[in-house]
């Protein structure tokens, strides 16, 4: 789908064990990409943030703002999913990415 000046692809995965759905927006061409940027954004802002994306290619992981039983709304959960064989890693690998760079800096959480 066209998104801003790029094309984007929305992908989803379901973790049957935890009964959780994951969404990601792939901005630009990531096939065989190395060091593709990955950012965590609020799930409800996924398409808006994708339209604002200044980096291409980039993968945006949408997380719900409301924590659930497995605390899947936390960046720590996403980090563990990327480091071990989890649904988020499988979802990203399915689009042909070779390696990613993850930015865990969250300006909102540093405000005093």
């Amino acid at each position: 789908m066209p998104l801003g000046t790029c094309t984007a692809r929305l992908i989803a995965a379901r973790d049957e064990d935890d009964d959780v759905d994951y969404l990601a927006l792939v901005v630009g061409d990531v096939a065989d990409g190395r060091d593709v940027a990955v950012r965590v954004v609020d799930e409800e802002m996924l398409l808006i943030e994708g339209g604002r994306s200044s980096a291409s290619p980039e993968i945006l992981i949408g997380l719900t703002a409301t924590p659930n039983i497995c605390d899947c709304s936390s960046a720590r959960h996403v980090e563990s999913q990327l480091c071990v064989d989890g649904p988020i890693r499988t979802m990203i690998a399915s689009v042909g990415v070779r390696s990613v760079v993850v930015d865990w800096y969250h300006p909102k959480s540093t405000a005093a």
Side-chain angles (χ1 to χ4, degrees):
M1 73 179 151
L3 187 67
T5 60
C6 299
T7 58
R9 180 176 169 193
L10 187 64
I11 57 175
R14 177 148 184 87
D15 184 350
E16 297 294 336
D17 295 334
D18 291 329
D19 196 30
V20 176
D21 295 317
Y22 296 98
L23 287 175
L25 184 67
V26 179
V27 180
D29 183 16
V30 299
D32 291 323
R34 296 191 185 278
D35 298 336
V36 174
V38 173
R39 277 193 301 139
V40 174
V41 300
D42 186 324
E43 185 177 70
E44 292 182 7
M45 299 292 292
L46 192 59
L47 293 176
I48 293 168
E49 289 292 328
R52 294 177 183 162
S53 181
S54 60
S56 180
E58 180 177 42
I59 299 173
L60 305 178
I61 306 293
L63 290 183
T64 179
T66 308
N68 55 25
I69 295 171
C70 70
D71 193 24
C72 298
S73 65
S74 72
R76 180 169 293 190
H77 177 76
V78 173
E79 182 178 83
S80 72
Q81 287 288 319
L82 289 170
C83 293
V84 298
D85 192 22
I88 294 175
R89 182 177 179 154
T90 302
M91 182 172 54
I92 288 175
S94 75
V95 295
V97 173
R98 299 289 181 201
S99 65
V100 297
V101 175
V102 182
D103 179 13
W104 296 124
Y105 175 71
H106 299 283
K108 291 180 183 177
S109 65
T110 61

